[in-house]
């Protein structure tokens, strides 16, 4: 029997998303002004517990915009985790500044506050705490180090929509936060992003920078050099449709997470994402780590076995200190990054999307169990 392919991610825009996008098009408000934009920014800010939200063209421009607004300049340093998506460090480079790579805490997979402390120099201006794989970073500890050293903090919440830290949603836990609404994210509009914050002065500056630097009171007068980082009213229509369904989306994804976890329990060498007692994670991509000694085969060999059965999966990101644009900087910085290396080598993202069925997951789990079992057979025979 021919089986269908299982992708690693897929979108679910089955509510009013399409109707709202069509409404935006028919209203002729298809650019970066319109009622869906206003509605999205207001609703998203409320959900993040912040005074303001600014929709941006993607999560990378949201980061870049935040760093520009915070006044990051050439020669400055920003502390970032090595274990993150490249956009986190690229945004620092776009400002001419240097990302300083530090390790993660293996108990959260997020930036280690102790490692941050060790990496501060007179050139350090701020910290980007990435909420990796839906798990919030330890923001109280990060904010404390920042306050002592006079630094700002950006939360990169691209992968962690509505995750909670000690009962509070991410997005309003530090100076400013950024989000991505790329197609594989929990809430999506294809390409999109947002910045959330409470500081009015910074909000006004970010809004101006987002819109080419134009003075809000004088059309075509540009007191500063700005950017076009705006998002369209059409995309915001899709986002408004997604926000209406957020509870349904979260429930579906949490059910997938629970099913995977109960099905994979007891498979030797498959370890689950750690969750800190104070964290409520966002169900982004279901992730495990493979211990090659226990499991009997490597993460990459398991990915090949899944691929052979038409099942797509993803390895974790390469740690940024091992990528060509950052090799030189990381060699100079010489921080210990062993946990990032380990997680990168062994982390695996399994298919996660709203219409993934239990039959699909049974198929995926069967391949994982079979890979482990066949290796056990090999070990016994040896
Ligand atoms: C941690 C992190 N930061 C930033 C981004 C960048 O977002 P975007 O792809 O929307 O530019 C991503 C992306 O997917 C991400 O995972």
């Amino acid at each position: 029997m021919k089986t269908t392919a299982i992708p690693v991610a897929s979108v679910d825009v089955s509510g009013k998303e399409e109707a709202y996008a069509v409404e935006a098009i028919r209203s002729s408000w298809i650019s970066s002004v319109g009622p869906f934009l206003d509605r999205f920014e207001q609703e998203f800010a409320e959900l993040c517990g912040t005074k303001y939200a600014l929709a941006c063209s993607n999560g990378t421009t949201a980061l870049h915009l935040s760093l520009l607004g915070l006044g990051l300049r050439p020669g400055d340093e920003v502390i970032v985790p090595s274990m993150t998506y490249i956009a986190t460090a690229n945004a620092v480079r776009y400002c001419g500044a240097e990302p300083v790579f530090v390790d993660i805490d293996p108990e959260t997979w997020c930036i280690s506050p102790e490692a941050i402390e060790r990496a501060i120099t007179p050139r350090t201006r701020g910290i980007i705490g990435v909420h990796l794989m839906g798990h919030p970073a330890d923001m109280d500890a990060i904010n404390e180090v920042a306050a002592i050293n006079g630094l700002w903090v950006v939360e990169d919440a691209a992968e962690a929509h509505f995750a909670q830290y000690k009962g509070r949603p991410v997005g309003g836990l530090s100076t400013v936060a950024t989000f991505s609404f790329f197609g594989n994210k929990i809430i999506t509009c294809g390409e999109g992003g947002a910045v959330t914050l409470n500081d009015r002065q910074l909000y006004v500056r970010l809004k101006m920078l987002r819109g080419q630097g134009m003075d809000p009171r004088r059309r075509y007068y540009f007191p500063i050099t700005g950017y076009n980082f705006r998002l369209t009213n059409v995309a915001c229509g899709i986002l408004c449709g997604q926000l209406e369904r957020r509870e349904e989306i979260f429930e579906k994804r949490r059910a997938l997470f629970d099913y995977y976890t109960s099905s994979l329990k007891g498979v030797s060498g498959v370890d689950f994402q750690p969750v800190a007692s104070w964290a409520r994670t966002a169900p982004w991509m279901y992730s495990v780590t493979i211990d090659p000694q226990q499991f009997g085969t490597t993460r990459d060999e398991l990915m090949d076995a899944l691929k052979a059965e038409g099942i797509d999966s993803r390895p974790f990101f390469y740690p940024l200190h091992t990528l060509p644009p950052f090799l030189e900087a990381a060699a100079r910085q010489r921080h210990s990054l062993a946990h990032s290396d380990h997680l990168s080598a062994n982390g695996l993202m399994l298919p996660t999307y709203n219409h993934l069925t239990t039959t699909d997951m049974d198929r995926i789990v069967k391949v994982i169990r079979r890979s482990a079992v066949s290796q056990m057979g090999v070990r016994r025979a040896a």
Side-chain angles (χ1 to χ4, degrees):
M1 194 180 72
K2 195 167 165 12
T3 50
T4 49
I6 300 178
V8 73
S10 179
V11 294
D12 170 7
V13 285
S14 56
K16 295 219 180 109
E17 293 89 341
E18 184 180 340
Y20 288 165
V22 169
E23 191 180 322
I25 291 166
R26 291 198 179 144
S27 73
S28 87
W29 293 103
I30 61 169
S31 293
S32 45
V33 177
F36 287 119
L37 178 86
D38 297 341
R39 179 176 148 189
F40 169 72
E41 289 186 336
Q42 194 184 334
E43 285 183 12
F44 197 69
E46 270 167 31
L47 290 166
C48 293
T50 57
K51 286 192 188 140
Y52 310 106
L54 283 164
C56 299
S57 47
N58 55 60
T60 311
T61 54
L63 277 164
H64 189 183
L65 181 69
S66 302
L67 298 179
L68 289 164
L70 289 164
L72 191 64
R73 298 168 58 84
D76 293 343
E77 290 177 354
V78 179
I79 299 173
V80 303
S82 179
M83 189 65 223
T84 180
Y85 185 59
I86 195 164
T88 312
N90 276 349
V92 175
R93 278 271 169 91
Y94 299 157
C95 299
E98 199 61 346
V100 174
F101 301 103
V102 301
D103 213 355
I104 50 162
D105 175 348
E107 295 305 314
T108 61
W109 292 355
C110 295
I111 193 164
S112 152
E114 290 77 31
I116 293 173
E117 247 178 320
R118 287 192 293 271
I120 292 172
T121 75
R123 289 164 62 195
T124 310
R125 296 291 168 265
I127 302 159
I128 305 182
V130 181
H131 303 315
L132 195 79
M133 300 289 169
H135 192 296
D138 187 355
M139 294 309 297
D140 280 353
I142 296 170
N143 286 335
E144 196 184 319
V145 178
I148 292 168
N149 293 281
L151 310 174
W152 41 253
V153 180
V154 176
E155 295 172 69
D156 181 345
E159 304 173 0
H161 307 166
F162 314 133
Q164 289 189 8
Y165 176 75
K166 299 184 181 174
R168 293 169 60 204
V170 300
L173 303 174
S174 61
T175 320
V176 53
T178 64
F179 293 83
S180 164
F181 305 119
F182 181 66
N184 67 2
K185 297 302 186 293
I186 304 176
I187 300 291
T188 183
C189 60
E191 289 279 7
V195 175
T196 53
L197 73 167
N198 285 308
D199 183 313
R200 170 132 195 107
Q201 239 184 327
L202 185 57
Y203 165 72
V204 169
R205 183 166 163 74
L206 293 185
K207 198 168 180 178
M208 206 162 151
L209 281 164
R210 182 186 68 171
Q212 301 282 23
M214 189 161 78
D215 185 331
R217 290 158 309 229
R218 274 168 91 183
R219 184 160 287 274
Y220 303 133
Y221 184 75
F222 301 89
I224 56 169
T225 303
Y227 298 75
N228 179 354
F229 286 164
R230 298 180 299 249
L231 188 64
T232 67
N233 189 50
V234 180
C236 288
I238 299 173
L239 286 174
C240 287
Q242 290 267 283
L243 288 188
E244 280 179 6
R245 297 176 51 231
R246 68 185 183 279
E247 277 171 20
E248 172 206 334
I249 291 170
F250 271 71
E251 251 170 54
K252 279 183 178 168
R253 292 179 88 103
R254 287 206 193 284
L256 300 179
F257 271 54
D258 291 346
Y259 195 82
Y260 266 132
T261 301
S262 60
S263 309
L264 288 168
K265 225 171 228 155
V267 181
S268 174
V270 174
D271 293 316
F272 301 117
Q273 178 177 20
V275 180
S277 59
W278 38 258
R280 173 98 166 127
T281 54
W284 184 47
M285 298 298 293
Y286 188 83
S287 303
V288 292
T289 54
I290 301 298
D291 176 343
Q293 301 300 326
Q294 295 285 322
F295 192 70
T297 177
T298 64
R299 185 270 316 270
D300 291 352
E301 284 162 345
L302 173 59
M303 284 179 66
D304 289 343
L306 289 164
K307 192 88 205 158
E309 297 290 335
I311 299 160
D312 205 5
S313 60
R314 289 282 179 281
F316 275 26
F317 308 127
Y318 286 101
L320 299 185
H321 68 276
T322 67
L323 295 177
F326 304 119
L327 278 176
E328 217 184 289
R332 234 181 300 117
Q333 296 161 7
R334 299 176 58 179
H335 294 298
S336 162
L337 298 157
H339 296 303
S340 305
D341 288 329
H342 180 79
L343 186 60
S344 167
N346 300 302
L348 176 67
M349 298 184 225
L350 294 174
T352 313
Y353 49 92
N354 299 0
H355 48 280
L356 188 74
T357 63
T358 51
T359 313
D360 293 332
M361 285 186 285
D362 288 342
R363 233 176 94 194
I364 296 162
V365 169
K366 202 166 144 192
V367 178
I368 298 173
R369 284 188 171 274
R370 200 177 61 208
S371 298
V373 168
S374 68
Q375 289 306 316
M376 272 169 63
V378 169
R379 279 196 305 237
R380 262 194 225 108

